[in-house]
Amino acid sequence: MWYTWLRAEAIFDIVFPKLLPVMTIMVPVATVVLYVPFVVAVIGAVIGSTSVLTAVSHLTVAVSSLLLLLFDVIVCVTFSVYLRKANATIGLLHAENDRFQITCFYGLVTSLFEGLSVFGYVFALTRVSFLEYQTIMVVVRALVLCGYCMLVLLKVALHRQKEARRAVRTVSTGHSTYSSRL
């Protein structure tokens, strides 16, 4: 969530500037809430499972999943709007338009994987058979891994774009230096 937010904050400022303060508060709060199910699980492992602790565990998982899903939906909408505007008005939205387009594309794909994993996790919780639950959780973990891979591919794409931009600058700088000698 933090990595996506760090990459998306400037895009939010362009697309939905009035939403930026809300998101600036939501991201740290949601991050803390995402750790609550882990804390509850550790408490359950230490003191033993009770019906109250199980109910609290399910509630914290549901709340954290909803927050993550809400964040992903907001990010997807923001990235989609930016891409639509960027394709209609190339270069007019921001000087970093190409970097933002790369971020939006990979952010959309990552959010898709995250959203599918949340739905898969919720679906797995409805399974009675342990084998069905574990099979679905394998798929969920694969979706989460795909999301992480997309973030790595985002870094690679941004690095390649930066190197291409640097090469163009070097060529244009070298070209203008040569012509100034003539």
Side-chain angles (χ1 to χ4, degrees):
M1 180 182 274
W2 272 104
Y3 184 77
T4 302
W5 175 245
L6 291 174
R7 291 282 177 200
E9 188 174 7
I11 297 167
F12 270 91
D13 195 29
I14 293 168
V15 176
F16 298 122
K18 292 182 181 179
L19 188 61
L20 186 63
V22 173
M23 292 302 292
T24 303
I25 294 168
M26 180 186 168
V27 170
V29 170
T31 302
V32 171
V33 171
L34 289 175
Y35 283 106
V36 173
F38 169 76
V39 172
V40 171
V42 169
I43 292 169
V46 171
I47 67 170
S49 181
T50 66
S51 61
V52 171
L53 196 55
T54 301
V56 169
S57 175
H58 290 324
L59 180 67
T60 60
V61 167
V63 169
S64 62
S65 296
L66 284 173
L67 275 174
L68 187 59
L69 195 60
L70 176 65
F71 176 78
D72 284 336
V73 167
I74 293 170
V75 166
C76 284
V77 168
T78 303
F79 286 173
S80 296
V81 169
Y82 181 85
L83 287 174
R84 196 169 351 111
K85 287 182 178 180
N87 288 334
T89 56
I90 301 287
L92 296 179
L93 289 174
H94 195 276
E96 294 289 324
N97 190 28
D98 49 351
R99 293 184 65 76
F100 286 169
Q101 286 183 329
I102 292 169
T103 300
C104 288
F105 172 76
Y106 283 97
L108 282 169
V109 175
T110 301
S111 292
L112 174 71
F113 283 126
E114 288 176 359
L116 288 173
S117 66
V118 168
F119 282 121
Y121 183 73
V122 170
F123 182 68
L125 290 176
T126 66
R127 303 294 90 197
V128 176
S129 164
F130 183 72
L131 180 60
E132 285 179 357
Y133 172 80
Q134 288 301 330
T135 303
I136 294 167
M137 288 308 293
V138 167
V139 173
V140 166
R141 289 179 184 107
L143 290 168
V144 170
L145 182 61
C146 287
Y148 288 139
C149 289
M150 284 296 109
L151 292 176
V152 171
L153 291 174
L154 166 64
K155 289 290 280 182
V156 170
L158 289 172
H159 177 73
R160 285 183 177 165
Q161 186 271 339
K162 181 179 176 182
E163 292 300 316
R165 192 179 251 185
R166 183 178 296 151
V168 167
R169 248 184 294 159
T170 302
V171 168
S172 66
T173 304
H175 203 312
S176 63
T177 304
Y178 176 75
S179 52
S180 65
R181 290 184 197 163
L182 294 175

